[in-house]
Amino acid sequence: MAEVVHTPRVFSGIQPSGGLTLGNYLGALKRFGETQDQGEMPTIYCIVDMHAITVWQDPEKLRHATRALTAGFIASGIDPTKSILFNQSAVPGHAQLGWIFNCVARLGWMQRMTQFKDKAGKNSENVSLGLFAYPALMAADILVYHATHVPVGEDQKQHVELTRDIAIKFNNDYGTDFFPVPEPVIEGAATRVMSLRDGTKKMSKSDPSDMSRINLTDDADTIAKKIRKAKTDPEPLPETLDGLEGRPEARNLVNIYAALSGKAAAEVVAEYAGQQFGTFKPALADLAVERLSPISSEMSRLMQDPAEIDRILAHGAEQANAIAAPIVRRARDIVGMVGA
Ligand code: AQP
């Protein structure tokens, strides 16, 4: 069979499962905007509300978080006239293809997903079926647009790899090359931003401790306080990156500084070599406030007009659906389903 060359296209999403964190910004949003501005490939960005409800969400809070996340995308540089920006549940193709992929993915594959194990913990009998099936829906999110490039943080690498397995199995099972096999794009100095309280745990919007993360909506004083109280060790900063070996909290703060300043982590370490955290932390706090406060004020401005946010999402959903609908139609046809 001649190999089909798929047109490069970027897709990624974020869950409205809470407020945006510095981890979401550095691992995802900042890079989404840069990819859009490079203009090499069409960019499709999604607020994945169907993923959010895999764990209980208060309906009013979910509505608010969806709009706030949309404001966060725009405030971080995603321009709805350049990228398609919409919420997942407004485009039926995600659920339609998600079901087909539930029937392609194997139970054993899903059981190996570390994020499910982490989120379910000891309570795996009691979590939703949706949480278990999440990665198959994520595969549909990506492949319903024939996306070839998926910018994500390190924590989502395994799910994109599963998407590749699903695309390959679908193509093999049905003797086709209909679906592209997408690549995870994991780049930058902060592909895994860690909790400010525990350098071995990822910074997460659903962490019960607000002190563990910097929220994009935190004001300058809160950002400075969280950085000042961030866990570190008593050693000064080393001369080279090797000196951060076994010092996860110190490494995390250096990575955050590097990602926010656009410098390499090695440069940051060289600049602050021999200095104590009492000097480094205020410098990091100033940098974080400088970078994040314009985003936070733009988010508040946008949130004053929720109807405009809804219009942006509706327009994005229309554009997304125009790409997804023919792909779903063809996938259904390949599988043997009839009808419009
Ligand atoms: N700490 C992080 N460092 C770097 N990247 C991160 N991302 C999330 N946390 C970090 C990236 O942000 C994108 C959106 O993630 P998501 O909302 O879909 O789900 P998540 O990865 O599970 O993020 P959270 O904040 O931890 O959400 P909850 O707490 O609801 O599970 C992805 O590209 C992710 O890699």
Side-chain angles (χ1 to χ4, degrees), residues 107-144:
L107 209 60
W109 299 359
M110 312 302 275
Q111 279 161 344
R112 283 195 285 278
M113 295 296 112
T114 54
Q115 193 178 79
F116 175 76
K117 289 187 214 165
D118 289 347
K119 286 201 168 176
K122 293 193 181 80
N123 195 25
S124 64
E125 290 291 307
N126 252 326
V127 296
S128 74
L129 189 56
L131 188 69
F132 188 68
Y134 172 123
L137 179 60
M138 178 165 156
D141 300 336
I142 297 165
L143 294 172
V144 82

Short mmCIF file of all heavy atoms in Angstrom, two decimals, residues 107-144:
data_model
loop_
_atom_site.label_atom_id
_atom_site.label_comp_id
_atom_site.label_asym_id
_atom_site.label_seq_id
_atom_site.Cartn_x
_atom_site.Cartn_y
_atom_site.Cartn_z
N LEU A 107 -7.59 -3.54 26.62
CA LEU A 107 -7.67 -3.33 28.06
C LEU A 107 -6.27 -3.26 28.70
O LEU A 107 -5.99 -2.41 29.55
CB LEU A 107 -8.48 -4.48 28.67
CG LEU A 107 -9.24 -4.17 29.94
CD1 LEU A 107 -10.26 -3.07 29.73
CD2 LEU A 107 -9.94 -5.44 30.43
N GLY A 108 -5.39 -4.15 28.25
CA GLY A 108 -4.04 -4.22 28.81
C GLY A 108 -3.27 -2.92 28.59
O GLY A 108 -2.51 -2.49 29.45
N TRP A 109 -3.51 -2.28 27.41
CA TRP A 109 -2.83 -1.01 27.13
C TRP A 109 -3.25 0.03 28.16
O TRP A 109 -2.43 0.79 28.68
CB TRP A 109 -3.18 -0.45 25.75
CG TRP A 109 -2.83 -1.29 24.57
CD1 TRP A 109 -2.20 -2.50 24.56
CD2 TRP A 109 -3.11 -0.96 23.21
NE1 TRP A 109 -2.08 -2.94 23.28
CE2 TRP A 109 -2.63 -2.02 22.42
CE3 TRP A 109 -3.73 0.12 22.57
CZ2 TRP A 109 -2.73 -2.04 21.03
CZ3 TRP A 109 -3.85 0.11 21.19
CH2 TRP A 109 -3.34 -0.96 20.43
N MET A 110 -4.57 0.07 28.39
CA MET A 110 -5.11 1.10 29.28
C MET A 110 -4.62 0.87 30.72
O MET A 110 -4.36 1.82 31.45
CB MET A 110 -6.65 1.10 29.27
CG MET A 110 -7.26 1.07 27.90
SD MET A 110 -6.78 2.45 26.88
CE MET A 110 -7.96 3.66 27.40
N GLN A 111 -4.52 -0.40 31.08
CA GLN A 111 -4.10 -0.72 32.46
C GLN A 111 -2.67 -0.27 32.73
O GLN A 111 -2.25 -0.15 33.87
CB GLN A 111 -4.24 -2.22 32.72
CG GLN A 111 -5.67 -2.59 33.06
CD GLN A 111 -5.97 -4.06 32.90
OE1 GLN A 111 -5.21 -4.80 32.25
NE2 GLN A 111 -7.07 -4.51 33.47
N ARG A 112 -1.90 -0.05 31.67
CA ARG A 112 -0.51 0.38 31.87
C ARG A 112 -0.35 1.90 32.02
O ARG A 112 0.76 2.40 32.23
CB ARG A 112 0.36 -0.13 30.71
CG ARG A 112 0.68 -1.61 30.83
CD ARG A 112 1.80 -2.02 29.90
NE ARG A 112 1.35 -2.11 28.52
CZ ARG A 112 0.72 -3.16 27.98
NH1 ARG A 112 0.47 -4.22 28.73
NH2 ARG A 112 0.34 -3.16 26.72
N MET A 113 -1.44 2.64 31.86
CA MET A 113 -1.33 4.11 31.89
C MET A 113 -1.04 4.61 33.30
O MET A 113 -1.82 4.42 34.23
CB MET A 113 -2.65 4.76 31.38
CG MET A 113 -2.95 4.49 29.94
SD MET A 113 -1.70 5.21 28.83
CE MET A 113 -0.94 3.74 28.19
N THR A 114 0.12 5.25 33.45
CA THR A 114 0.54 5.63 34.81
C THR A 114 -0.35 6.76 35.38
O THR A 114 -0.56 6.82 36.57
CB THR A 114 2.02 6.07 34.83
OG1 THR A 114 2.17 7.09 33.86
CG2 THR A 114 2.96 4.95 34.52
N GLN A 115 -0.87 7.62 34.49
CA GLN A 115 -1.69 8.71 35.03
C GLN A 115 -2.97 8.15 35.66
O GLN A 115 -3.43 8.62 36.70
CB GLN A 115 -2.04 9.75 33.96
CG GLN A 115 -2.60 11.01 34.60
CD GLN A 115 -2.93 12.10 33.61
OE1 GLN A 115 -3.95 12.08 32.94
NE2 GLN A 115 -2.04 13.08 33.51
N PHE A 116 -3.54 7.10 35.03
CA PHE A 116 -4.73 6.47 35.62
C PHE A 116 -4.37 5.89 36.99
O PHE A 116 -5.09 6.10 37.97
CB PHE A 116 -5.30 5.38 34.71
CG PHE A 116 -6.44 4.63 35.36
CD1 PHE A 116 -7.70 5.22 35.45
CD2 PHE A 116 -6.25 3.38 35.92
CE1 PHE A 116 -8.75 4.57 36.09
CE2 PHE A 116 -7.29 2.72 36.57
CZ PHE A 116 -8.55 3.32 36.65
N LYS A 117 -3.24 5.21 37.04
CA LYS A 117 -2.84 4.59 38.32
C LYS A 117 -2.67 5.67 39.39
O LYS A 117 -3.11 5.52 40.51
CB LYS A 117 -1.55 3.80 38.16
CG LYS A 117 -1.74 2.52 37.35
CD LYS A 117 -0.46 1.70 37.39
CE LYS A 117 -0.27 0.96 36.10
NZ LYS A 117 1.07 0.44 35.92
N ASP A 118 -2.01 6.80 38.99
CA ASP A 118 -1.79 7.88 39.96
C ASP A 118 -3.12 8.47 40.43
O ASP A 118 -3.32 8.72 41.60
CB ASP A 118 -0.98 9.03 39.33
CG ASP A 118 0.45 8.62 39.10
OD1 ASP A 118 0.87 7.57 39.63
OD2 ASP A 118 1.16 9.34 38.35
N LYS A 119 -4.02 8.74 39.44
CA LYS A 119 -5.27 9.44 39.80
C LYS A 119 -6.22 8.53 40.54
O LYS A 119 -6.95 8.97 41.42
CB LYS A 119 -5.94 10.00 38.55
CG LYS A 119 -5.23 11.22 38.00
CD LYS A 119 -6.10 12.07 37.13
CE LYS A 119 -5.42 13.40 36.85
NZ LYS A 119 -6.14 14.26 35.94
N ALA A 120 -6.24 7.24 40.16
CA ALA A 120 -7.17 6.32 40.81
C ALA A 120 -6.63 5.92 42.18
O ALA A 120 -7.39 5.68 43.12
CB ALA A 120 -7.39 5.10 39.93
N GLY A 121 -5.33 5.84 42.31
CA GLY A 121 -4.70 5.45 43.58
C GLY A 121 -5.24 4.11 44.05
O GLY A 121 -5.42 3.17 43.28
N LYS A 122 -5.56 4.06 45.34
CA LYS A 122 -6.05 2.80 45.92
C LYS A 122 -7.54 2.63 45.67
O LYS A 122 -8.14 1.63 46.05
CB LYS A 122 -5.78 2.80 47.43
CG LYS A 122 -4.30 2.76 47.77
CD LYS A 122 -4.10 2.45 49.26
CE LYS A 122 -2.63 2.43 49.60
NZ LYS A 122 -2.08 3.79 49.79
N ASN A 123 -8.13 3.62 45.01
CA ASN A 123 -9.59 3.67 44.90
C ASN A 123 -10.07 3.22 43.51
O ASN A 123 -11.13 3.63 43.05
CB ASN A 123 -9.99 5.14 45.15
CG ASN A 123 -11.45 5.30 45.42
OD1 ASN A 123 -12.09 4.37 45.89
ND2 ASN A 123 -11.98 6.48 45.13
N SER A 124 -9.29 2.38 42.81
CA SER A 124 -9.56 2.15 41.39
C SER A 124 -10.91 1.51 41.11
O SER A 124 -11.46 1.66 40.02
CB SER A 124 -8.43 1.35 40.75
OG SER A 124 -8.38 0.09 41.34
N GLU A 125 -11.50 0.81 42.07
CA GLU A 125 -12.82 0.20 41.86
C GLU A 125 -13.91 1.26 41.81
O GLU A 125 -15.00 1.03 41.29
CB GLU A 125 -13.15 -0.76 43.02
CG GLU A 125 -12.31 -2.02 43.04
CD GLU A 125 -12.62 -2.95 41.88
OE1 GLU A 125 -13.80 -3.28 41.70
OE2 GLU A 125 -11.69 -3.32 41.16
N ASN A 126 -13.60 2.41 42.38
CA ASN A 126 -14.65 3.42 42.57
C ASN A 126 -14.56 4.61 41.64
O ASN A 126 -15.42 5.49 41.69
CB ASN A 126 -14.57 3.93 44.01
CG ASN A 126 -15.73 3.41 44.81
OD1 ASN A 126 -16.82 3.25 44.25
ND2 ASN A 126 -15.51 3.13 46.07
N VAL A 127 -13.51 4.67 40.79
CA VAL A 127 -13.40 5.83 39.90
C VAL A 127 -14.29 5.59 38.69
O VAL A 127 -14.76 4.48 38.44
CB VAL A 127 -11.94 6.09 39.45
CG1 VAL A 127 -11.07 6.45 40.64
CG2 VAL A 127 -11.37 4.92 38.69
N SER A 128 -14.52 6.65 37.89
CA SER A 128 -15.43 6.51 36.75
C SER A 128 -14.78 5.69 35.64
O SER A 128 -13.55 5.65 35.50
CB SER A 128 -15.81 7.89 36.22
OG SER A 128 -14.73 8.46 35.51
N LEU A 129 -15.65 5.06 34.85
CA LEU A 129 -15.18 4.33 33.68
C LEU A 129 -14.51 5.30 32.71
O LEU A 129 -13.55 4.97 32.03
CB LEU A 129 -16.41 3.66 33.03
CG LEU A 129 -16.18 2.67 31.92
CD1 LEU A 129 -15.27 1.55 32.35
CD2 LEU A 129 -17.54 2.09 31.48
N GLY A 130 -15.02 6.55 32.70
CA GLY A 130 -14.46 7.59 31.84
C GLY A 130 -13.00 7.86 32.14
O GLY A 130 -12.20 8.08 31.23
N LEU A 131 -12.63 7.83 33.43
CA LEU A 131 -11.23 8.09 33.79
C LEU A 131 -10.33 7.01 33.21
O LEU A 131 -9.23 7.28 32.74
CB LEU A 131 -11.08 8.15 35.32
CG LEU A 131 -9.71 8.62 35.81
CD1 LEU A 131 -9.48 10.09 35.49
CD2 LEU A 131 -9.55 8.40 37.31
N PHE A 132 -10.83 5.79 33.20
CA PHE A 132 -10.05 4.67 32.64
C PHE A 132 -9.92 4.80 31.11
O PHE A 132 -8.87 4.56 30.53
CB PHE A 132 -10.75 3.36 33.02
CG PHE A 132 -9.96 2.13 32.66
CD1 PHE A 132 -8.77 1.84 33.32
CD2 PHE A 132 -10.40 1.26 31.69
CE1 PHE A 132 -8.03 0.71 33.00
CE2 PHE A 132 -9.68 0.14 31.35
CZ PHE A 132 -8.49 -0.14 32.01
N ALA A 133 -11.03 5.22 30.49
CA ALA A 133 -11.07 5.30 29.01
C ALA A 133 -10.48 6.60 28.47
O ALA A 133 -10.30 6.73 27.25
CB ALA A 133 -12.52 5.15 28.53
N TYR A 134 -10.16 7.53 29.34
CA TYR A 134 -9.65 8.87 28.99
C TYR A 134 -8.63 8.84 27.83
O TYR A 134 -8.76 9.59 26.86
CB TYR A 134 -9.08 9.44 30.28
CG TYR A 134 -8.31 10.73 30.27
CD1 TYR A 134 -8.72 11.80 31.05
CD2 TYR A 134 -7.13 10.88 29.53
CE1 TYR A 134 -8.00 12.98 31.09
CE2 TYR A 134 -6.41 12.06 29.56
CZ TYR A 134 -6.85 13.10 30.35
OH TYR A 134 -6.13 14.27 30.38
N PRO A 135 -7.60 7.96 27.88
CA PRO A 135 -6.60 8.04 26.80
C PRO A 135 -7.14 7.67 25.42
O PRO A 135 -6.63 8.15 24.41
CB PRO A 135 -5.53 7.03 27.24
CG PRO A 135 -5.75 6.83 28.71
CD PRO A 135 -7.22 6.98 28.93
N ALA A 136 -8.21 6.85 25.36
CA ALA A 136 -8.79 6.53 24.04
C ALA A 136 -9.54 7.74 23.50
O ALA A 136 -9.52 8.02 22.29
CB ALA A 136 -9.72 5.32 24.15
N LEU A 137 -10.18 8.49 24.40
CA LEU A 137 -10.84 9.73 23.97
C LEU A 137 -9.79 10.75 23.54
O LEU A 137 -9.97 11.48 22.56
CB LEU A 137 -11.72 10.28 25.10
CG LEU A 137 -12.45 11.59 24.81
CD1 LEU A 137 -13.40 11.46 23.61
CD2 LEU A 137 -13.24 12.08 26.03
N MET A 138 -8.67 10.77 24.26
CA MET A 138 -7.59 11.70 23.89
C MET A 138 -7.07 11.36 22.49
O MET A 138 -6.75 12.26 21.70
CB MET A 138 -6.48 11.66 24.93
CG MET A 138 -5.32 12.56 24.60
SD MET A 138 -4.26 12.81 26.04
CE MET A 138 -2.72 13.22 25.23
N ALA A 139 -6.99 10.07 22.19
CA ALA A 139 -6.56 9.66 20.84
C ALA A 139 -7.54 10.20 19.81
O ALA A 139 -7.15 10.70 18.73
CB ALA A 139 -6.46 8.14 20.76
N ALA A 140 -8.84 10.13 20.14
CA ALA A 140 -9.85 10.66 19.21
C ALA A 140 -9.72 12.17 19.06
O ALA A 140 -9.85 12.70 17.95
CB ALA A 140 -11.25 10.29 19.71
N ASP A 141 -9.43 12.86 20.17
CA ASP A 141 -9.27 14.33 20.10
C ASP A 141 -8.22 14.70 19.05
O ASP A 141 -8.38 15.67 18.29
CB ASP A 141 -8.77 14.90 21.44
CG ASP A 141 -9.70 14.62 22.61
OD1 ASP A 141 -10.90 14.40 22.39
OD2 ASP A 141 -9.21 14.60 23.76
N ILE A 142 -7.16 13.93 19.04
CA ILE A 142 -6.02 14.24 18.16
C ILE A 142 -6.34 13.78 16.73
O ILE A 142 -6.19 14.53 15.76
CB ILE A 142 -4.75 13.52 18.69
CG1 ILE A 142 -4.39 14.06 20.08
CG2 ILE A 142 -3.59 13.63 17.70
CD1 ILE A 142 -3.38 13.20 20.86
N LEU A 143 -6.83 12.54 16.62
CA LEU A 143 -6.94 11.94 15.28
C LEU A 143 -8.19 12.38 14.53
O LEU A 143 -8.24 12.24 13.30
CB LEU A 143 -6.87 10.41 15.41
CG LEU A 143 -5.49 9.91 15.90
CD1 LEU A 143 -5.52 8.42 16.20
CD2 LEU A 143 -4.40 10.22 14.88
N VAL A 144 -9.16 12.95 15.23
CA VAL A 144 -10.36 13.43 14.55
C VAL A 144 -10.02 14.66 13.69
O VAL A 144 -10.80 15.08 12.85
CB VAL A 144 -11.51 13.71 15.57
CG1 VAL A 144 -11.38 15.06 16.25
CG2 VAL A 144 -12.87 13.55 14.90
#
